[in-house]
Each structure stands twice: as structure tokens, then as C-alpha cells.
Amino acid sequence: MTTGTGLALTWRKIPERYNLMGSKCDNCGESFFPSRKICPNCRRRGRIRKEKFSGKGKIYSYTLVASPPSGFELEAPYPMVIVQLDEGARVTAQLVDTAYENVKIGAPVQVVFRKIQEEGKEGLIHYGFKFKMTPGK
Amino acid sequence: MDGGGMWIAGYGAYVPRFRIAAEEITKIWGEEASRIKEGLGIAEKSVPDIDEDSATIAVEAARNAMYHAGLKDPTEIGAIFFGSESPPYAVKPAASIVAEAIQATPALTAADLEFACKAGTAGIQCVMGMCASGMIRYGMAIGSDTSQGRPGDALEYSAGAGGAAFILGGEKADAVADIKHTCSYTTDTPDFWRRPGADFPSHGGRFTGEPAYFKHVISASQMLMKETGVKAEDLDYAVFHQPNGKFPVQAAKMLGIEKGKIMPGLITPLIGNTYSAASMLGLAATLDVAKPGQRIMATSFGSGAGSDSFLIEVLDGIDAKRGRARAVKSFVDDKEYVDYGTYAKYRRKLKSL
Ligand SMILES: [Zn+2]
């Protein structure tokens, strides 16, 4: 059986989803995630290159998802966070291993590798980044 | 094999944070907690989160191993072997997922291995051979499992989750330990199996002990000691596969090894049996506390059945790398308890999940 019209898209996003590959403009110094091909600040003067982000950052904002989108029912309720990465870019992702009452703005977080979604029992398993609070902090 | 040129450049561990206590399981099945804890020597076991599987655990362990080894260029890894009896796919390697997640692609070989609880150590032997022959400069062997027991079965008290990754190769001056020798003992012994499509394994109950675990672990360990001339008293530590908290203690006794020498690597009582990871996490926990010059014997066991035994000598390089990655103990100590309902949901034990 052929499945998943999104296979090619999923495959192209592997570097981004597995390793937080974004981009950075060496002209103005701004980092982008997801990556950009043209710097919105510098336009033609921009010098964009690929950058792998360290996966370390701080919680910029958060919310609790109680009514999840389809495919995420088993995980709800779960916290979603906007992480301000050390390199500057902001990323939205799930926060794991943390009770919601312990989530705080400014708390240090680090990237983890988890299952994002499964396409039923026979389809592809999508893996990628989530975040957890940095232990001992 | 003479072990020339086969050393451990670094290693990494990973254990999920959640735990379920034996009491919480006995409550459901009406058993006596003290009898279970006494009989199995397991007080609690690790439970993977709903979005964790043997591939995500392998990636976390592999990344920790990369930090520990201090490998700057991941493309120097020429081989990755993923050993598991609970792979996420029946067909599609998890080794390639790990390779991508540590950016070791594309110039490398990779494969998934299965031999019940000893596929990870079989992977170490594969990497040893490839390093010794000069085929590769560095190679990684991983043991990772999120195994399941049938609800109500004794395995439900023991089947935990965890992973360990070992990077072999590079320069001996940078290595943390030297693998001096390895040998294996393998027979067709049907003590434990799982057919394709079956959710839970079948096992031979008491048959898993004497003719399976003890025969293979003791025979491989004795073979190693005979071939190297190393005696029980020459060893500083020993690590055995640990399907429960009792078998490895008994194995040490049968080999004349003091109980204290296996304690640093005996972690099943606190995280359960991590299957392919069990002996490798035990070895990692032992290396976490070992000093240069000390000798460790590590013997795995996989049902079906076989044991791989290793004689390992700790090198000076271990001190410089200590603390670069989280120690096994920090994973064991960092925990949060879940109740049986949450556990059943996380492990998808209800048919509708
Ligand atoms: Zn710019």
C-alpha cells in the first residue's frame, strides 16, 4: 500500500525536526527557525547560512493544551511552550517530563528527542524535538 | 580475538523519568508486595512516557555518548548498530534514525540487531571487529528497549525501559577503557520468545533460570576467565545481565565473585529489567565510579540463548571525561511515580489505545 502524501515533506524536514537546523544571517546576526533563505532585515545584503541550534534556551511563554488536535488525544493535557533559544530564535514545542504547575516563564529548558505523532497503527512514526526543564535547575 | 585496538571512547545512558512501584502493581492483581519484592528483588521499574520508544531512548543515549566521547565530527562514526527486542518498526531500521539524529549520515553503515536482551553487546562485538580491522575509525553500539509484560504476568513487575550507547575506536590515549578480550556462548534454548504480531512475550517460567540464564552467563564468564587467565579475585567489578535483582547476585556467587563488586552495576532493583540495555547500563554505571587500572568483567545474556562476556580495563582517559554527560545514577535518582492507570495509558495496555 502506498501511503502518506506528506512523506516527501516529512523527509525534507528531518534535519529541522531532529537537529534544530535553522539559519543565521551573518550580516545582522539574527537567527531564524524554521530556517529562511533570505534575511528579512538585510534582504540582498543578507548573508544567510545554516545553523544548528544548541537546543538550550528559556521559556518565553506557555499554555496548557486541554483540547488537543487529532492524533494528540492520548497526551492531553500537555504544556506547549515558546522557547527563546540561546541563539535568539523562538521555537514552539511541547514540554515533557514536567508537571504544569512547575512550568515558569524564564525557566531553563533543553531539547529532547521524542515521538511527535504516529499515523495510526500502520503508518509512519514522526520523530522530532520537544523540550524539558533542565534538570537540577 | 586479542582485543588489540578496541577501546571505549565514550558512553552514554538514558532512563525515562517515570517509575511505577511494585506495590502499585500488586494492588491491581491482589498479590503481596513483599513477596514480589523479595522474590524478584525489584522495588520499582522505569516507565517510558507515551511519546518515548526504543528509538527516542537510543537517540538520547547516543547524544550523551557523543558528549562523553567528545567527538567533534559525528561523521567520523562509521557504523551504528541498534540492538533491541522492542524496535518501533518491524521493517525500517531505528539505527538510521539515530544516525540522522546525531548527524553521522550519510557515509556509514547501520543495522538493527535482535537477540532478546543481548543484541546491544553483540553490537559492541561487531564494532570491535570493524575497528580492529581498520574498516572504521569509530563505531557505536546501542542497547535500547521499552519491553512489555502481559498484564498480571511476573514480567509486569520487571519489564522496564532504558538505553545505553557505547562509542568504540579512535586514539587509545583519549579512551576511557580498553576491551582486552571478548568471547561468547550460544545455544538454541527456547526460554523466552515473541512471535510476529504478538503484543506480549511467552516464556518458560522457571525454565528461564537454570538451563538458560545461569548456564550461558556462567559458561561465557568462565570461558573469558580461562582464556585470559584472570581469576575472580583479580576483578575489581563484575556486571551481569539483570532480568531481576536476584539472578546476577546468584551468578556472582557461583563464580566466586564478592557481592560488593557487582553492586555499582546492579540497577535493575530500581529501574527494572531494561532488556538490551540492562548489562550495558550496568557497565556504564560501573565505569561511572571505576578508577584507571581497574578491571571489569561484563557478561550479557539474551534468551534464545546466548551470553557475550568482556574483560575491560579502565584507562587514564576516564578521569578527563567524567562529568561531561549525565551519570547513570543521576537518571536512576531523577524520578516521578505514576499510578497503574497512568502506566496502562502510557504503555497502551488497553486494546482501544
Ligand atoms: Zn540579516
Side-chain angles (χ1 to χ4, degrees), chain B residues 13-353:
Chain B
Y14 182 79
V15 181
R17 270 193 83 224
F18 298 109
R19 302 284 183 276
I20 187 163
E23 284 87 350
E24 184 63 26
I25 304 176
T26 54
K27 216 160 69 185
I28 302 295
W29 302 111
E31 302 213 48
E32 254 178 77
S34 58
R35 199 182 63 82
I36 295 289
K37 286 161 82 172
E38 180 68 21
L40 290 174
I42 297 176
E44 55 197 52
K45 66 167 192 172
S46 56
V47 177
D49 204 340
I50 200 155
D51 58 357
E52 291 186 289
D53 63 18
S54 56
T56 67
I57 288 171
V59 167
E60 293 290 336
R63 285 178 175 171
N64 286 329
M66 294 294 285
Y67 294 135
H68 188 244
L71 223 63
K72 297 227 163 47
D73 179 6
T75 62
E76 281 197 293
I77 301 270
I80 295 179
F81 293 104
F82 168 87
S84 181
E85 65 113 84
S86 55
Y89 290 95
V91 177
K92 196 214 165 294
S96 58
I97 297 172
V98 176
E100 205 67 63
I102 62 167
Q103 296 183 297
T105 54
L108 84 164
T109 185
D112 289 12
L113 303 178
E114 191 278 314
F115 195 141
C117 295
K118 82 152 193 96
T121 58
I124 292 179
Q125 291 178 327
C126 293
V127 171
M128 285 174 72
M130 295 179 79
C131 285
S133 69
M135 270 180 80
I136 58 172
R137 182 161 156 71
Y138 289 96
M140 179 185 283
I142 303 164
S144 176
D145 265 310
T146 57
S147 298
Q148 294 255 30
R150 194 185 303 276
D153 189 282
L155 285 179
E156 207 181 6
Y157 296 97
S158 61
F166 280 75
I167 299 172
L168 272 59
E171 300 300 323
K172 192 174 181 185
D174 300 327
V176 300
D178 193 6
I179 304 180
K180 306 291 281 186
H181 192 72
T182 184
C183 60
S184 300
Y185 187 93
T186 308
T187 70
D188 182 356
T189 304
D191 57 320
F192 176 104
W193 62 89
R194 180 165 61 83
R195 297 274 300 273
D199 288 329
F200 303 112
S202 303
H203 59 84
R206 287 185 177 279
F207 185 71
T208 56
E210 219 44 64
Y213 178 88
F214 290 107
K215 171 135 186 259
H216 293 79
V217 166
I218 301 299
S219 299
S221 301
Q222 283 173 338
M223 193 190 291
L224 185 90
M225 291 162 93
K226 188 166 177 240
E227 289 178 5
T228 58
V230 167
K231 296 184 179 59
E233 56 268 30
D234 302 328
L235 295 167
D236 296 286
Y237 299 103
V239 180
F240 300 105
H241 175 54
Q242 33 201 286
N244 53 51
K246 301 301 260 305
F247 280 15
V249 175
Q250 181 65 21
K253 200 174 168 191
M254 290 163 80
L255 290 162
I257 296 167
E258 289 166 43
K259 192 180 172 188
K261 294 182 177 178
I262 68 165
M263 293 317 283
L266 187 57
I267 52 178
T268 287
L270 296 172
I271 62 168
N273 177 11
T274 54
Y275 285 62
S276 299
S279 55
M280 293 169 75
L281 274 175
L283 174 59
T286 304
L287 286 167
D288 281 344
V289 299
K291 293 181 183 67
Q294 290 190 315
R295 279 183 183 159
I296 305 166
M297 179 172 74
T299 306
S300 63
F301 171 73
S303 289
S307 282
D308 304 322
S309 194
F310 301 85
L311 179 66
I312 293 158
E313 198 173 283
V314 182
L315 297 172
D316 291 339
I318 201 163
D319 287 330
K321 291 186 177 178
R322 234 185 274 280
R324 282 188 185 178
R326 279 179 73 187
V328 176
K329 190 178 185 305
S330 102
F331 285 102
V332 172
D333 292 347
D334 178 26
K335 60 186 174 186
E336 183 182 330
Y337 291 99
V338 295
D339 57 21
Y340 196 90
T342 307
Y343 163 72
K345 178 180 157 183
Y346 284 0
R347 298 314 329 262
R348 303 187 195 195
K349 284 185 183 286
L350 308 176
K351 253 316 183 198
S352 63
L353 302 182

Side-chain angles (χ1 to χ4, degrees), chain A residues 34-97:
Chain A
S35 68
R36 286 177 174 249
K37 289 205 165 64
I38 295 167
C39 175
N41 309 323
C42 313
R43 300 284 168 185
R44 269 185 323 183
R45 285 178 297 114
R47 292 203 312 275
I48 285 272
R49 61 170 168 84
K50 282 186 186 172
E51 177 162 78
K52 177 178 162 45
F53 297 118
S54 66
K56 295 194 171 75
K58 289 188 164 60
I59 295 176
Y60 175 78
S61 183
Y62 65 93
T63 187
L64 188 71
V65 177
S67 310
S70 130
F72 293 83
E73 295 87 348
L74 274 178
E75 293 176 55
Y78 55 85
M80 285 292 289
V81 290
I82 299 175
V83 173
Q84 173 104 46
L85 294 170
D86 286 355
E87 293 86 353
R90 279 178 201 157
V91 186
T92 304
Q94 258 176 277
L95 187 74
V96 297
D97 277 2

